[in-house]
Amino acid sequence: MGDLEHAVPIYEETLERTERLLGADAPQTLTTRNNLAAAYEAAGDLRRAIPIYEQTLESSQRVLGAHDPDTLTTRSNLALAYQTAGDLSLATRLFRQTLDDRERVLGPDHPDTLTSRNNLAHAYREAGDLRRAAELDERTLADRERVLGPDHPDTLTSRSNLAVTYESAGDLGRAIALFGQALEDRERVLGPDHRDTLTSRNNLAHAYEAAGDVRQALRLYERNLKDRERLLGPDHPDTLISRNNLAHAYQSAGDLAEARRLHEQNLEDRERLLGPDHPDTLISRNNLAHAYQAAGDLDRAIPPVPAHAEGPRTRPRPHPSRHAELPQQPRHRLRRRRRLAPRTPPAGGDPGGPRADPGPRPSRHPRLTQQPRLRLRVGRQPQARGPAVRGDVRGLGAGPGPRPPRHADVPQQPGRRLSRGR
């Protein structure tokens, strides 16, 4: 959050100067405007991020053309922002349009096309259309294994995303097997301390918890919290997510005292780091209230009503937290204009492709920050859901750019920027 506090004013100043010196429609101005929107989005300010994305998309279509790769990236960024804001209908329509255009312009095997298919699958999963989400995830995994190789980071992300879809559909047997494979592969390819590896461990723990194996879940959550505190520091968003997940597992195991202690610590840290009104702080406050309620301490679970307030006091809803690092939603940056010809990924895989947990960068656009890897989303314990129910995702690769952390690799839950070249 500290980096964002410094980044936003810098982007605002840069945009003002760029518009004054180069004009409102210069490609560099469009890139700076996109980056400012990504910074607002990463800070949770969708009210300001979405209008800037919309303005950038309109200008890109007019100046660069509707099918320019940077225009397609901007449309993907806008879709991700709408998805974060809960407008899944509009997000799905924009993801579908971007996928169709990338297949036609770049080809079906281009890394950005595969990222778009991944993003569309994530949107379907969010909307509860698990059948179509599974079809797209399975196809994306098969294509990435063929095009990029079985050990490419994007392929590992797709494997994790498919596991998330299986878990959302209640198929915990296949989900746990795939999460276990993704964790093993990431430990071998990326190392045990890589952020994507930690995300995979978190995802496997969540699947075990959903399957009722709380002992295994606690073991994995405890290790993840210890590793994130060591690698990222006690105040990193992913560390706070791990503490939240561990608290929820303790609560599931009936250790309400330890659950309350961890939730209290998380709330105190988020109030200090993010402020009392940040969405993550509100989630922590709600989770703590639910822990108090589970322990029968309703006086602390239900805050007193101010003298001027009207209406009944209501109990907190159970566990509305970003239980896991869900979809790693990559944020993308726009880059310098490129020719529309599809590019062939290098033998080792496209370094700009989506990254797992930390918010993949789906097209080769570097991301702002993670996650997401993940911006956390309220995570709920997955259960078998019908096709019309919202599903959880972790470990997706969104459009080019990173995503915030969460239960899955999605493009965490992370912001995208348009970047001028890499």
Side-chain angles (χ1 to χ4, degrees), residues 11 26-38 52-53 55-57 59-61 64 68-78 102 112 331-338 363-368 399-402 415-422:
Y11 280 131
Q28 185 173 341
T29 304
L30 301 183
T31 294
T32 303
R33 190 179 298 135
N34 181 88
N35 292 349
L36 175 60
I52 295 176
Y53 277 138
Q55 180 186 2
T56 306
L57 178 59
S59 298
S60 293
Q61 289 174 329
L64 304 177
D68 184 272
D70 286 353
T71 301
L72 301 183
T73 294
T74 300
R75 189 188 301 141
S76 183
N77 291 347
L78 177 59
R102 279 179 166 164
D112 291 2
R331 298 342 160 55
H332 341 279
R333 309 194 202 171
L334 297 182
R335 36 226 182 183
R336 289 184 181 276
R337 292 191 61 189
R338 303 178 300 284
S363 309
R364 4 201 187 86
H365 317 307
R367 53 180 188 126
L368 272 182
R416 325 114 195 143
R417 315 196 232 164
L418 307 173
S419 77
R420 302 224 153 222
R422 308 192 285 146

Side-chain angles (χ1 to χ4, degrees), residues 81-191:
Y82 278 131
Q83 182 175 346
T84 302
D87 192 340
L88 295 177
S89 175
L90 185 51
T92 301
R93 181 176 64 79
L94 290 172
F95 279 138
R96 176 82 259 176
Q97 182 182 357
T98 303
L99 175 59
D100 290 343
D101 288 345
R102 279 179 166 164
E103 286 181 332
R104 181 166 45 80
V105 174
L106 302 175
D109 290 340
H110 190 281
D112 291 2
T113 304
L114 300 182
T115 291
S116 283
R117 191 180 303 135
N118 179 88
N119 293 348
L120 179 60
H122 179 230
Y124 280 138
R125 186 186 299 104
E126 288 278 288
D129 191 342
L130 300 179
R131 181 185 60 81
R132 284 200 282 189
E135 290 173 354
L136 290 170
D137 279 333
E138 288 167 349
R139 180 180 171 189
T140 303
L141 175 58
D143 287 347
R144 280 178 165 167
E145 287 179 332
R146 174 176 54 82
V147 174
L148 303 175
D151 289 340
H152 189 278
D154 292 1
T155 305
L156 302 183
T157 294
S158 282
R159 192 171 295 132
S160 182
N161 291 347
L162 179 57
V164 171
T165 300
Y166 286 150
E167 183 182 351
S168 299
D171 190 345
L172 296 176
R174 285 203 289 180
I176 288 174
L178 275 178
F179 279 138
Q181 181 183 354
L183 175 58
E184 180 180 334
D185 290 343
R186 281 175 167 167
E187 286 180 332
R188 174 175 51 82
V189 174
L190 304 175

Side-chain angles (χ1 to χ4, degrees), residues 368-412:
L368 272 182
T369 39
Q370 183 202 260
Q371 207 126 172
R373 210 187 269 45
L374 340 97
R375 212 182 291 142
L376 304 180
R377 279 191 253 181
V378 174
R380 297 188 290 281
Q381 196 150 331
Q383 52 190 4
R385 301 171 185 153
V389 182
R390 179 179 184 275
D392 292 337
V393 187
R394 327 175 222 39
L396 301 187
R403 90 17 258 159
R406 252 175 55 129
H407 191 235
D409 300 309
V410 152
Q412 215 221 32

Side-chain angles (χ1 to χ4, degrees), residues 90-388:
L90 185 51
T92 301
R93 181 176 64 79
L94 290 172
F95 279 138
R96 176 82 259 176
Q97 182 182 357
T98 303
L99 175 59
D100 290 343
D101 288 345
R102 279 179 166 164
E103 286 181 332
R104 181 166 45 80
V105 174
L106 302 175
D109 290 340
H110 190 281
D112 291 2
T113 304
L114 300 182
T115 291
S116 283
R117 191 180 303 135
N118 179 88
N119 293 348
L120 179 60
H122 179 230
Y124 280 138
R125 186 186 299 104
E126 288 278 288
D129 191 342
L130 300 179
R131 181 185 60 81
R132 284 200 282 189
E135 290 173 354
L136 290 170
D137 279 333
E138 288 167 349
R139 180 180 171 189
T140 303
L141 175 58
D143 287 347
R144 280 178 165 167
E145 287 179 332
R146 174 176 54 82
V147 174
L148 303 175
D151 289 340
H152 189 278
D154 292 1
T155 305
L156 302 183
T157 294
S158 282
R159 192 171 295 132
S160 182
N161 291 347
L162 179 57
V164 171
T165 300
Y166 286 150
E167 183 182 351
S168 299
D171 190 345
L172 296 176
R174 285 203 289 180
I176 288 174
L178 275 178
F179 279 138
Q181 181 183 354
L183 175 58
E184 180 180 334
D185 290 343
R186 281 175 167 167
E187 286 180 332
R188 174 175 51 82
V189 174
L190 304 175
D193 290 343
H194 193 280
R195 292 172 76 178
D196 293 0
T197 304
L198 301 184
T199 292
S200 282
R201 191 179 301 129
N202 178 87
N203 293 349
L204 179 59
H206 184 265
Y208 276 129
E209 185 181 359
D213 192 342
V214 181
R215 183 183 60 82
Q216 282 276 38
L218 282 171
R219 180 180 62 82
L220 292 168
Y221 280 141
E222 286 171 342
R223 179 178 172 187
N224 242 28
L225 176 58
K226 184 181 300 184
D227 287 346
R228 281 177 165 165
E229 287 178 334
R230 172 175 56 86
L231 297 166
L232 304 175
D235 291 341
H236 191 279
D238 290 3
T239 304
L240 301 183
I241 291 172
S242 284
R243 191 182 300 134
N244 177 85
N245 292 350
L246 179 59
H248 183 259
Y250 274 125
Q251 189 169 332
S252 299
D255 190 342
L256 300 180
E258 184 64 10
R260 287 199 307 271
R261 184 187 70 80
L262 291 169
H263 279 313
E264 286 169 347
Q265 183 180 353
N266 245 26
L267 175 58
E268 180 181 337
D269 288 345
R270 280 178 167 163
E271 286 180 332
R272 172 174 54 83
L273 296 167
L274 305 175
D277 297 328
H278 190 279
D280 294 358
T281 306
L282 301 180
I283 287 173
S284 283
R285 189 173 297 126
N286 187 88
N287 290 347
L288 176 58
H290 182 243
Y292 284 143
Q293 178 185 342
D297 190 348
L298 295 182
D299 286 339
R300 287 198 286 182
I302 306 174
V305 179
H308 61 277
E310 297 181 0
R313 301 199 304 170
T314 58
R315 295 186 178 186
R317 294 182 181 178
H319 186 56
S321 75
R322 0 182 134 228
H323 181 148
E325 309 169 2
L326 280 186
Q328 144 197 339
Q329 307 206 231
R331 298 342 160 55
H332 341 279
R333 309 194 202 171
L334 297 182
R335 36 226 182 183
R336 289 184 181 276
R337 292 191 61 189
R338 303 178 300 284
R339 292 181 308 189
L340 299 184
R343 66 189 170 94
T344 303
D350 179 4
R355 280 182 13 174
D357 168 303
R361 314 183 235 142
S363 309
R364 4 201 187 86
H365 317 307
R367 53 180 188 126
L368 272 182
T369 39
Q370 183 202 260
Q371 207 126 172
R373 210 187 269 45
L374 340 97
R375 212 182 291 142
L376 304 180
R377 279 191 253 181
V378 174
R380 297 188 290 281
Q381 196 150 331
Q383 52 190 4
R385 301 171 185 153

